[in-house]
Amino acid sequence: MFDAILQDRELFALCREECSENDICIEFDELIAEDRFLILKTDAYYSSSRMHNPPPSLDCLIVVGCETNPCYDFYLVEMKDIRSPDGFEVKNIRKKFATVIEDFLKNRFGHIFSNPKYCLNEFRLYFVSDACRMKKRFPGMTQKVYRKKILGTKYEMFLSLKPFEFRGKKAIIDPRLPNPMIEVC
């Protein structure tokens, strides 16, 4: 799959060294070799300089080649460095994921990403933000504790939305604290 992505002129132009926004970034387990993942800046594809009135889109698509099998993990990531939950709308975030899944992965570049010759191991959707400033108030907070703390907040709505489906895998938008770790598959 990596060769197909790198040989596609449009996808190659979206390749980046990191997936980050201001003080938020995606980290990688040190066991993942640099040649085992690609980061595509999907919002660069859907920019106003490329298309008139572009749809909302995510920050990054991260494709990780598994070490133990010939499959790939897909991580779709939206990051918001905001100071309050008022800084995002659940409906808009959902549209961003829908654009990348339905248009980018299935339609425009379906010949690569939806190609059954490439095995899909995991399909994950991350909304990375700490608008409630929990990380500063509770240093060392785990993802499990974070899930409990967001109950009753705007973030909880993501957990109750209809899951997205891609290539037989279902995933919900998973609220994550900065800076989540991409692990070896």
Side-chain angles (χ1 to χ4, degrees), residues 1-2 32 36-38 61-67 69-76 119-124 126 166 169 182-185:
M1 178 180 291
F2 289 163
I32 302 176
R36 300 299 297 171
F37 66 88
L38 285 175
L61 163 65
I62 300 170
V63 181
V64 180
C66 296
E67 296 283 340
N69 61 49
C71 298
Y72 297 87
D73 283 355
F74 283 19
Y75 293 85
L76 279 66
C119 171
L120 180 61
N121 187 58
E122 291 285 338
F123 176 60
R124 299 191 178 169
Y126 287 175
F166 179 68
K169 306 275 184 182
I182 303 296
E183 297 180 0
V184 174
C185 61

Side-chain angles (χ1 to χ4, degrees), residues 22-89:
N22 301 322
D23 291 333
I24 297 176
C25 68
I26 302 300
E27 296 178 356
F28 291 83
D29 186 315
E30 62 186 32
L31 298 175
I32 302 176
E34 287 188 25
D35 65 344
R36 300 299 297 171
F37 66 88
L38 285 175
I39 299 169
L40 301 175
K41 190 79 170 139
T42 52
D43 63 354
Y45 181 79
Y46 292 100
S47 69
S48 59
S49 63
R50 290 180 53 96
M51 56 180 70
H52 178 69
N53 198 19
S57 66
L58 299 173
D59 292 313
C60 303
L61 163 65
I62 300 170
V63 181
V64 180
C66 296
E67 296 283 340
T68 59
N69 61 49
C71 298
Y72 297 87
D73 283 355
F74 283 19
Y75 293 85
L76 279 66
V77 180
E78 175 64 12
M79 297 171 287
K80 288 282 186 194
D81 186 20
I82 50 179
R83 304 227 180 264
S84 156
D86 294 336
F88 72 89
E89 292 297 325

Side-chain angles (χ1 to χ4, degrees), residues 121-171:
N121 187 58
E122 291 285 338
F123 176 60
R124 299 191 178 169
L125 314 176
Y126 287 175
F127 177 62
V128 183
S129 176
D130 190 15
C132 298
R133 299 293 173 217
M134 289 189 197
K135 199 167 185 175
K136 288 183 181 183
R137 292 189 332 215
F138 307 102
M141 177 184 290
T142 65
Q143 188 62 32
K144 187 175 182 178
V145 172
Y146 178 63
R147 275 197 187 273
K148 289 179 183 176
K149 293 234 180 247
I150 64 171
L151 296 176
T153 71
K154 194 174 185 179
Y155 285 95
E156 183 182 15
M157 292 178 68
F158 289 118
L159 303 175
S160 63
L161 294 173
K162 181 181 174 186
F164 286 98
E165 186 173 345
F166 179 68
R167 294 186 57 191
K169 306 275 184 182
K170 291 184 179 182

